[in-house]
Amino acid sequence: MSGAGGGRGCGSRVPQRAPWNLVAATAALCLVSATSVWTAGAAPMSREEKQRLGNQVLEMFDHAYGNYMEHAYPADELMPLTCRGRVRGQEPSRGDVDDALGKFSLTLIDSLDTLVVLNKTKEFEDAVRKVLRDVNLDNDVVVSVFETNIRVLGGLLGGHSLAIMLKEKGEYMQWYNDELLQMAKQLGYKLLPAFNTTSGLPYPRINLKFGIRKPEARTGTETDTCTACAGTLILEFAALSRFTGATIFEEYARKALDFLWEKRQRSSNLVGVTINIHTGDWVRKDSGVGAGIDSYYEYLLKAYVLLGDDSFLERFNTHYDAIMRYISQPPLLLDVHIHKPMLNARTWMDALLAFFPGLQVLKGDIRPAIETHEMLYQVIKKHNFLPEAFTTDFRVHWAQHPLRPEFAESTYFLYKATGDPYYLEVGKTLIENLNKYARVPCGFAAMKDVRTGSHEDRMDSFFLAEMFKYLYLLFADKEDIIFDVEDYIFTTEAHLLPLWLSTTNQSISKKNTTSDYTELDDSNFDWTCPNTQILFPNDPLYAQSIREPLKNVVDKSCPRGIIRVEESFRSGAKPPLRARDFMATNPEHLEILKKMGVSLIHLKDGRVQLVQHAIQAASSIDAEDGLRFMQEMIELSSQQQKEQQLPPRAVQIVSHPFFGRVVLTAGPAQFGLDLSKHKETRGFVASSKPYNGCSELTNPEAVMGKIALIQRGQCMFAEKARNIQNAGAIGGIVIDDNEGSSSDTAPLFQMAGDGKDTDDIKIPMLFLFSKEGSIILDAMREYEEVEVLLSDKAKDRAAILKGKMIPSYIINSNPDMENEEQPSSENDFQNQSAEQMASGSQEVDLVDEESPEEGSSNSHPDSSSPADRDSAAGGPPSEQNSHPTESPEPTRLDGECTDLDNQLEQQSDTEEDSNPNVSWGKKVQPIDSILADWNEDIEAFEMMEKDEL
């Protein structure tokens, strides 16, 4: 999610009903004053270095945008590994993620105003002509109302805003006559039927052609939506009303916001993640600042900034006070229950909360912004990217990284507010990591697993809409930009809307009909612009002094914040009983359990069942301890059950022309050489004959000393391994025989043994799905010699490519990477809904799992991730949850910090478009064409290096 524009809104309190020009001037003064304080804080980056990094951002954008236009347009998104467009209905369904795709050239529309920010006005003019000529908004496709609003409607409005600006300047867009605005209005009317509910909250999805509820629409039966989905409409809809004079859009968006405000939990002033659009009941009652809620808070503050309506500021301040009271546990931001806000709802954080430091800057609350940002930066330095979710002790919870821009956004706003050159160095790290680990010949590929460095065939439109915009603005001086960014506000997708809209077509009453606000003390308004003495004390090292204690926080095993604050004030009390220390034969432990409302029942088979009834606890604090104990016990059980599961491995193509840039996610084997304990295996690949590897090989001379390729099926994996090992192969890759299978859509596959002793198998064996295996097979058809690296994680390209003449951005990797200890794989914990955690009764039932058999598919511990800006609804609360445990011996996790509630929310798949007919086909790019494109990149980089010299 994106922050507010250019430096607006850094203060929170201005005179009531103040003219907007006064508000803008006040905010600008705050930023100017703040920046001047920081000039002495750290060694400044030279103008030449900033210019070099800015030019590098421009080149990176050209690489991503150019490949989209060449290989994918008019499709919605680029698939950078296969160099083709992603067309809805022609690729395997990815569930909710695909709801952003509407066959309306999404990436092009999302990139329009980025082209202007990056001074590519000629390309912008060409892009607008393409949108007007090619884009059709009347497609029979079911799309997300939320995503279509922020990406497409926002993209059209941002493009229109800058088109009229350029036209006024007199050089470009002289032919433009509000065509993008007319498309935006057409789209706005297509989205309006989604608001046909009694509450005014929109349906989460709509058919662009048939609307809602018609048989042809294939939607309109949903009952739930996320808070952010319903609360992130006001900027785009109000701008559309102000631009066109059609007030209906702003009215509908305001009604949805009013309803969410009315439904907040009154005692805590928090909102839940998911709400019933018909009844207004909260479906998921956990609350945080990440996925499912994030941009709701963002749009309350920005609606005040853009529209000047005091009620939005009052609502934001009320929510912000609750966030800082309950959710903020510096430097962590942990979800809590809206009805019991002193109870943590989970012990992991998702990557979308990285926008929050930027929002805090706009609020003017700098200290916690610096703290949280620094914590996130330490996680990035450990994993190269911010994992989609990570635990409170900073282990990977969900390993994906779809090139999200939220951290870059917060980095930009912190630099904008402080002028601290430290944040320029942070931005430089982001650029280097993108080029080292995500750049591929046809663009930038999302990370399938940040631990192994494997890629996903995905480059979302928000990567071009936001990432390059914020990175370029971070390093650009004012004179580098052809317009004044301070005159605009950024939407959550970083689209630009002009601030003069606040005084245009003001037909909507600003009077708020819901005046039930919480009285806040004056401390909520301490951050008033201009008030730089509070924002920035005279100490020029102020920010550094905040960051310094957090430098090693990621490396510590048990960070502060997991234990609730009130427990630290128990004078003389013993620390609560931890699950790892519990012994069922210890009378003292049994007495503590009773005090916590936990009963112990001995079963006939010798096991022990634990049941918690919160109402039987001695006190509310003891009930909390009991809940925490039960959560820990569930995690310990799950850890025992999942200890046989192995993390994913990596197959890295290292020969020409790939040079280690293509990394494929591979499934491990429960036999053979363990790549996590031994050096990686490197060699050329060769197909075995017979291809299924189920009998003695007839071409042993072809696989001798090489890595053999074998097809899955017809015999056991261990038998295949023995046959290729006997033929002299140094490793094996099994390729799935299920055509079209892919690691993008299938859980991690783990090859089991044959039930016999497999100690005789000494070579490493890895498994590739059909799509990933095809990449190697296609390369073999083009080149006789294809060399790969089998390893536990992607290796440093500097070592792989030593002595080869290739661009410096490929070989400039961290030399310590190969020696770096791989982060331990995450354990897959049992799913427990937020409702269940909050209920007054739970049970624990510890059960061992059987080892997976050959051919079984084991779920990857990190295969479940939140929808891109949505959250799946949790299930109904359960009354009891039983869990027997072995009695005699306790389980100990020496040296480890146990999480409290490590949940995995299963993401449900949605049907792909039932009518896949499209006006364009797949663009399959031959590998020699890909090579030619990459050679051009190499030449461009060589020229750039010469220019720098």
Side-chain angles (χ1 to χ4, degrees):
M1 306 299 155
S2 304
R8 293 298 188 265
C10 68
S12 300
R13 199 180 216 179
V14 296
Q16 296 292 300
R17 312 290 182 188
W20 176 246
N21 58 352
L22 174 60
V23 177
T26 305
L29 176 59
C30 170
L31 282 176
V32 170
S33 303
T35 302
S36 65
V37 172
W38 282 110
T39 52
M45 181 178 286
S46 68
R47 178 176 174 80
E48 292 74 18
E49 177 70 358
K50 287 178 62 179
Q51 191 170 24
R52 184 188 72 81
L53 291 169
N55 289 336
Q56 194 168 0
V57 174
L58 293 176
E59 186 282 328
M60 292 166 66
F61 174 82
D62 288 342
H63 180 66
Y65 179 76
N67 275 287
Y68 164 74
M69 294 304 296
E70 181 175 355
H71 301 303
Y73 181 79
D76 284 316
E77 289 179 344
L78 169 69
M79 299 173 69
L81 297 183
T82 51
C83 299
R84 64 173 193 229
R86 183 180 296 279
V87 179
R88 186 85 173 266
Q90 293 187 10
E91 301 293 336
S93 173
R94 300 176 299 168
D96 293 347
V97 177
D98 283 340
D99 287 344
L101 311 180
K103 300 179 183 176
F104 35 36
S105 302
L106 176 63
T107 298
L108 181 63
I109 293 177
D110 224 0
S111 304
L112 287 177
D113 51 8
T114 303
L115 290 166
V116 182
V117 172
L118 273 55
N119 298 335
K120 297 180 179 296
T121 48
K122 178 64 169 61
E123 291 89 339
F124 171 73
E125 190 158 7
D126 293 341
V128 172
R129 292 184 187 275
K130 284 185 173 67
V131 170
L132 300 179
R133 182 191 68 204
D134 299 336
V135 172
N136 177 24
L137 298 176
D138 196 38
N139 300 313
D140 180 14
V141 182
V142 176
V143 297
S144 162
V145 173
F146 169 75
E147 297 289 356
T148 304
N149 172 65
I150 65 172
R151 300 202 206 187
V152 185
L153 183 59
L156 292 171
L157 292 172
H160 170 70
S161 300
L162 297 187
I164 58 177
M165 178 274 297
L166 291 172
K167 184 176 182 179
E168 289 175 359
K169 287 182 176 290
E171 184 177 355
Y172 294 96
M173 303 298 294
Q174 296 307 297
W175 54 270
Y176 182 70
N177 192 29
D178 295 350
E179 288 87 351
L180 290 177
L181 180 59
Q182 295 310 311
M183 287 187 68
K185 187 175 181 180
Q186 177 192 358
L187 180 60
Y189 278 117
K190 285 185 172 294
L191 295 179
L192 283 184
F195 292 83
N196 188 21
T197 61
T198 55
S199 66
L201 299 178
Y203 282 95
R205 298 174 185 85
I206 193 168
N207 187 298
L208 289 175
K209 188 176 184 69
F210 297 108
I212 294 285
R213 290 185 176 174
K214 295 180 182 178
E216 306 94 329
R218 305 184 305 283
T219 189
T221 59
E222 302 92 343
T223 59
D224 307 332
T225 192
C226 72
T227 300
C229 301
T232 310
L233 299 158
I234 186 65
L235 292 188
E236 292 84 2
F237 273 49
L240 184 57
S241 288
R242 302 298 176 96
F243 272 129
T244 64
T247 61
I248 187 172
F249 304 108
E250 186 171 345
E251 290 170 355
Y252 275 47
R254 280 178 177 263
K255 183 180 178 182
L257 272 182
D258 290 345
F259 189 84
L260 288 173
W261 169 253
E262 287 293 332
K263 290 300 178 180
R264 76 194 185 281
Q265 212 291 320
R266 298 303 176 98
S267 62
S268 66
N269 282 318
L270 295 172
V271 292
V273 173
T274 311
I275 191 170
N276 186 297
I277 59 177
H278 303 297
T279 65
D281 295 331
W282 291 110
V283 179
R284 276 189 52 190
K285 300 178 183 179
D286 45 322
S287 183
V289 296
I293 301 180
D294 46 5
S295 51
Y296 163 68
Y297 295 133
E298 178 188 359
Y299 268 38
L300 284 177
L301 181 57
K302 291 182 181 180
Y304 165 68
V305 174
L306 180 64
L307 306 177
D309 188 336
D310 297 331
S311 67
F312 292 127
L313 177 61
E314 292 167 350
R315 295 180 191 183
F316 174 79
N317 279 336
T318 301
H319 284 314
Y320 188 78
D321 178 72
I323 291 169
M324 300 309 291
R325 187 186 305 270
Y326 303 119
I327 296 171
S328 176
Q329 301 177 41
L332 309 179
L333 292 164
L334 293 176
D335 285 17
V336 299
H337 300 284
I338 58 175
H339 296 289
K340 298 179 180 179
M342 300 308 293
L343 283 179
N344 290 336
R346 61 174 63 153
T347 56
W348 51 269
M349 296 165 278
D350 65 73
L352 287 173
L353 64 76
F355 92 103
F356 198 67
L359 189 64
Q360 289 180 305
V361 170
L362 302 175
K363 162 74 175 174
D365 197 1
I366 300 296
R367 183 183 185 93
I370 293 173
E371 290 175 334
T372 299
H373 180 275
E374 182 62 24
M375 177 270 292
L376 295 170
Y377 184 44
Q378 296 302 319
V379 175
I380 288 174
K381 289 204 291 187
K382 181 175 182 178
H383 299 295
N384 299 320
F385 297 98
L386 195 62
E388 196 72 333
F390 54 94
T391 63
T392 52
D393 54 352
F394 309 107
R395 294 175 293 147
V396 172
H397 186 63
W398 289 322
Q400 304 95 322
H401 174 74
L403 306 181
R404 293 201 184 277
E406 285 77 18
F407 181 77
E409 168 196 346
S410 288
T411 302
Y412 164 67
F413 282 107
L414 273 168
Y415 178 68
K416 186 74 175 175
T418 66
D420 189 345
Y422 176 83
Y423 297 108
L424 296 178
E425 297 298 331
V426 173
K428 181 179 179 180
T429 299
L430 297 182
I431 292 173
E432 291 174 347
N433 287 351
L434 284 171
N435 274 325
K436 287 178 185 176
Y437 307 115
R439 187 170 182 135
V440 294
C442 285
F444 291 85
M447 307 307 295
K448 179 72 173 177
D449 192 315
V450 298
R451 297 166 300 185
T452 64
S454 58
H455 292 135
E456 189 175 356
D457 203 0
R458 170 181 179 184
M459 188 178 79
D460 291 82
S461 68
F462 55 71
F463 182 59
L464 285 86
E466 302 184 63
M467 180 69 82
F468 295 115
K469 197 175 291 176
Y470 287 124
L471 288 178
Y472 183 75
L473 289 173
L474 178 64
F475 297 105
D477 291 323
K478 193 169 185 179
E479 55 270 24
D480 297 330
I481 306 170
I482 62 176
F483 65 99
D484 191 355
V485 171
E486 303 295 334
D487 292 335
Y488 296 81
I489 187 172
F490 286 135
T491 69
T492 197
E493 190 79 3
H495 294 308
L496 292 156
L497 300 176
L499 293 174
W500 53 257
L501 289 175
S502 61
T503 58
T504 302
N505 292 323
Q506 292 179 288
S507 57
I508 305 296
S509 171
K510 289 186 180 180
K511 183 172 180 58
N512 173 51
T513 58
T514 60
S515 57
D516 185 14
Y517 295 106
T518 301
E519 280 296 320
L520 301 175
D521 57 50
D522 289 341
S523 65
N524 193 61
F525 302 99
D526 279 347
W527 316 289
T528 303
C529 290
N531 192 354
T532 57
Q533 293 304 310
I534 293 178
L535 278 172
F536 310 102
N538 291 327
D539 181 5
L541 300 178
Y542 174 67
Q544 181 179 340
S545 67
I546 297 174
R547 292 192 298 263
E548 196 60 36
L550 303 172
K551 290 294 186 184
N552 299 317
V553 68
V554 172
D555 297 325
K556 295 177 181 178
S557 59
C558 295
R560 292 173 60 243
I562 296 178
I563 306 300
R564 297 301 303 185
V565 175
E566 51 280 22
E567 292 177 356
S568 63
F569 291 101
R570 296 180 187 172
S571 56
K574 292 183 179 180
L577 177 64
R578 308 304 296 266
R580 63 174 179 262
D581 300 325
F582 171 68
M583 296 185 66
T585 56
N586 188 322
E588 184 180 355
H589 288 183
L590 298 179
E591 187 63 31
I592 295 174
L593 290 189
K594 183 178 179 181
K595 190 177 180 183
M596 294 189 299
V598 179
S599 343
L600 185 144
I601 304 172
H602 291 275
L603 302 179
K604 293 180 179 180
D605 58 4
R607 292 182 299 166
V608 175
Q609 185 180 58
L610 301 177
V611 183
Q612 190 206 17
H613 298 277
I615 58 174
Q616 296 178 5
S619 68
S620 60
I621 292 179
D622 289 311
E624 290 182 30
D625 288 343
L627 176 64
R628 183 179 299 108
F629 175 84
M630 298 293 283
Q631 293 166 352
E632 289 180 356
M633 189 62 74
I634 289 172
E635 290 184 11
L636 287 177
S637 171
S638 297
Q639 184 169 351
Q640 291 173 335
Q641 295 166 16
K642 305 300 181 182
E643 63 184 3
Q644 296 300 321
Q645 289 195 354
L646 300 172
R649 305 301 189 208
V651 175
Q652 195 167 5
I653 307 180
V654 298
S655 56
H656 173 84
F658 304 97
F659 299 125
R661 299 205 58 74
V662 174
V663 183
L664 308 174
T665 299
Q670 295 177 351
F671 54 86
L673 184 71
D674 186 349
L675 291 170
S676 66
K677 298 177 181 178
H678 298 84
K679 189 177 179 181
E680 68 277 357
T681 298
R682 178 171 180 165
F684 291 94
V685 295
S687 295
S688 61
K689 292 183 181 179
Y691 190 30
N692 59 33
C694 291
S695 60
E696 183 179 350
L697 266 58
T698 60
N699 63 335
E701 69 287 345
V703 300
M704 173 74 72
K706 295 183 179 180
I707 295 172
L709 301 181
I710 331 156
Q711 188 177 46
R712 179 186 180 186
Q714 301 183 34
C715 66
M716 306 294 280
F717 290 125
E719 184 179 347
K720 298 175 189 287
R722 291 188 179 98
N723 287 331
I724 63 172
Q725 179 176 271
N726 292 338
I730 60 173
I733 298 175
V734 178
I735 298 177
D736 194 8
D737 59 348
N738 182 15
E739 186 175 356
S741 64
S742 167
S743 64
D744 292 343
T745 55
L748 178 73
F749 189 87
Q750 189 168 241
M751 295 185 290
D754 54 5
K756 306 173 184 177
D757 186 3
T758 55
D759 290 344
D760 59 314
I761 302 175
K762 306 297 184 183
I763 61 175
M765 295 290 293
L766 296 181
F767 177 88
L768 290 179
F769 284 106
S770 172
K771 179 182 174 183
E772 286 76 17
S774 295
I775 294 176
I776 294 181
L777 296 175
D778 289 344
M780 290 177 65
R781 281 190 281 270
E782 293 291 331
Y783 306 97
E784 294 182 1
E785 301 287 321
V786 175
E787 188 178 17
V788 301
L789 189 72
L790 311 184
S791 60
D792 59 338
K793 61 187 292 188
K795 297 303 178 183
D796 184 12
R797 292 172 193 143
I800 294 173
L801 306 171
K802 207 167 188 179
K804 296 186 181 292
M805 298 295 295
I806 58 173
S808 60
Y809 70 82
I810 297 178
I811 63 174
N812 258 346
S813 299
N814 179 3
D816 298 326
M817 182 176 174
E818 289 192 65
N819 297 324
E820 181 181 272
E821 183 179 351
Q822 181 183 355
S824 60
S825 64
E826 296 310 305
N827 295 308
D828 206 358
F829 298 123
Q830 286 185 347
N831 185 39
Q832 184 183 25
S833 71
E835 282 293 318
Q836 183 181 359
M837 292 165 51
S839 68
S841 174
Q842 23 173 22
E843 302 178 2
V844 181
D845 185 13
L846 304 178
V847 183
D848 290 334
E849 288 186 18
E850 295 181 2
S851 300
E853 297 180 0
E854 197 277 332
S856 65
S857 180
N858 297 312
S859 293
H860 179 192
D862 296 310
S863 64
S864 179
S865 68
D868 268 33
R869 286 178 175 84
D870 206 342
S871 296
S878 54
E879 290 297 323
Q880 291 189 333
N881 214 350
S882 46
H883 211 148
T885 178
E886 294 296 334
S887 172
E889 292 295 332
T891 302
R892 297 192 176 273
L893 300 177
D894 297 331
E896 293 186 13
C897 176
T898 305
D899 295 339
L900 304 183
D901 178 30
N902 200 343
Q903 307 169 57
L904 286 179
E905 301 168 30
Q906 299 301 321
Q907 181 180 353
S908 61
D909 293 336
T910 57
E911 282 192 6
E912 59 189 50
D913 187 2
S914 63
N915 182 12
N917 296 328
V918 291
S919 58
W920 58 79
K922 295 183 182 179
K923 292 186 178 181
V924 181
Q925 187 73 8
I927 199 161
D928 55 342
S929 177
I930 298 173
L931 267 179
D933 297 338
W934 200 19
N935 287 332
E936 291 179 8
D937 289 341
I938 295 174
E939 293 173 4
F941 266 85
E942 290 173 347
M943 289 298 296
M944 185 183 300
E945 290 173 351
K946 290 178 181 178
D947 292 342
E948 291 172 1
L949 291 174

